[in-house]
Amino acid sequence: MTNMTEIFKQKAVIPFQVIGDPDVKTTVANVVAEAAAGAPLIELALPFSDPVADGPAVKAANLRALDGGISIPEAFDAIAAIRAQTAVPIVLVTYTNIAFVYGFEAFANKAAGLNVAGVIVPDMPHEEAHLFAPFLAKAGVDFITIVGPASPDRTATVVEPAVGFLTLFPALPEPLLGQELGAVHAASALPIVINTASDDPDTIKTLAQKVAGVQLTEAFVGLTEPAEVTARTIKYLNAVK
């Protein structure tokens, strides 16, 4: 199991992209470039036809990947190709239906075999996490909890069984963000990551000052040149130092 504490000893910038957007070769090259530039953790999404928790840019990325004909086994093959070149920690983003059809236990074992550090399931309610999380735990993969706007009591209930780190989505405006962070901190000592669609270094810096890391939901989506990926990774890492 990946030691998440080590990842978040310094402010983390976490690139995100959809596997197969626009093709597997580009995905592999981009992730290798991000890792080489210093990204401490990378989130990769399995392409899905109805990514209801995502914005227009990420939905478009999913459709581009699917239009290219990628399958879930081919997406896993892409991670294997990445693993042949870098050991950078990877968190896999999927939707419930993908893992359910694949088989929760089989999915967990496959993720472990690819040295995936964690799995995020945006559309899986807290009350249903027990169907999947134990298989991941047995395989040594963290089930990463998403925390949305909620009452302090509900927040405490959601984060109580959490492992790895917590991811806040969406990034609320102040003072709501401060209130949400206060409730999370009161209930858990895990590192907190804020998801943001912004690609503005100043915005990313401001968010990073409040938490352990920032996941860049759209800043790397659609990029096809590893040189640009490298430059952006370095730019955002410098912004949060």
Side-chain angles (χ1 to χ4, degrees):
M1 182 174 289
T2 300
N3 187 341
M4 294 293 184
T5 303
E6 290 296 317
I7 293 172
F8 294 106
K9 280 187 174 180
Q10 296 181 331
K11 295 291 184 181
V13 170
I14 304 171
F16 166 91
Q17 58 211 73
V18 178
I19 300 172
D21 174 34
D23 53 53
V24 166
K25 182 179 179 180
T26 299
T27 300
V28 173
N30 284 356
V31 173
V32 171
E34 290 158 0
L41 177 69
I42 294 168
E43 291 189 12
L44 294 176
L46 292 175
F48 186 56
S49 59
D50 191 23
V52 294
D54 295 308
V58 177
K59 288 182 179 180
N62 277 273
L63 291 177
R64 287 194 297 269
L66 292 172
D67 286 345
I70 192 170
S71 65
I72 297 304
E74 288 169 340
F76 283 135
D77 288 344
I79 299 175
I82 291 166
R83 277 287 164 258
Q85 300 182 61
T86 176
V88 65
I90 291 173
V91 167
L92 192 58
V93 182
T94 187
Y95 279 83
T96 302
N97 193 56
I98 294 175
F100 174 76
V101 171
Y102 198 91
F104 288 139
E105 185 173 16
F107 190 103
N109 291 336
K110 183 66 174 181
L114 293 169
N115 195 24
V116 168
V119 172
I120 297 176
V121 192
D123 66 339
M124 179 170 279
H126 169 71
E127 286 74 16
E128 295 180 9
H130 70 279
L131 299 173
F132 191 18
F135 292 118
L136 291 169
K138 184 178 179 181
V141 180
D142 287 334
F143 181 89
I144 305 299
T145 297
I146 295 177
V147 184
S151 69
D153 287 346
R154 174 63 177 175
T155 296
T157 297
V158 169
V159 305
E160 189 276 329
V163 294
F165 64 91
L166 299 165
T167 182
L168 266 60
F169 180 82
L172 298 174
E174 293 291 4
L176 295 176
L177 178 58
Q179 294 169 4
E180 183 179 26
L181 286 172
V184 175
H185 281 304
S188 175
L190 290 177
I192 299 172
V193 169
I194 292 179
N195 289 16
T196 179
S198 177
D199 62 0
D200 173 53
D202 290 337
T203 299
I204 293 165
K205 179 179 180 178
T206 298
L207 291 174
Q209 290 172 345
K210 304 174 186 294
V211 290
V214 181
Q215 189 255 38
L216 304 181
T217 306
E218 297 184 9
F220 291 87
V221 169
L223 298 184
T224 59
E225 296 297 329
E228 184 177 2
V229 170
T230 298
R232 287 202 182 193
T233 304
I234 293 171
K235 177 174 69 174
Y236 297 133
L237 286 169
N238 287 337
V240 304
K241 285 183 177 179

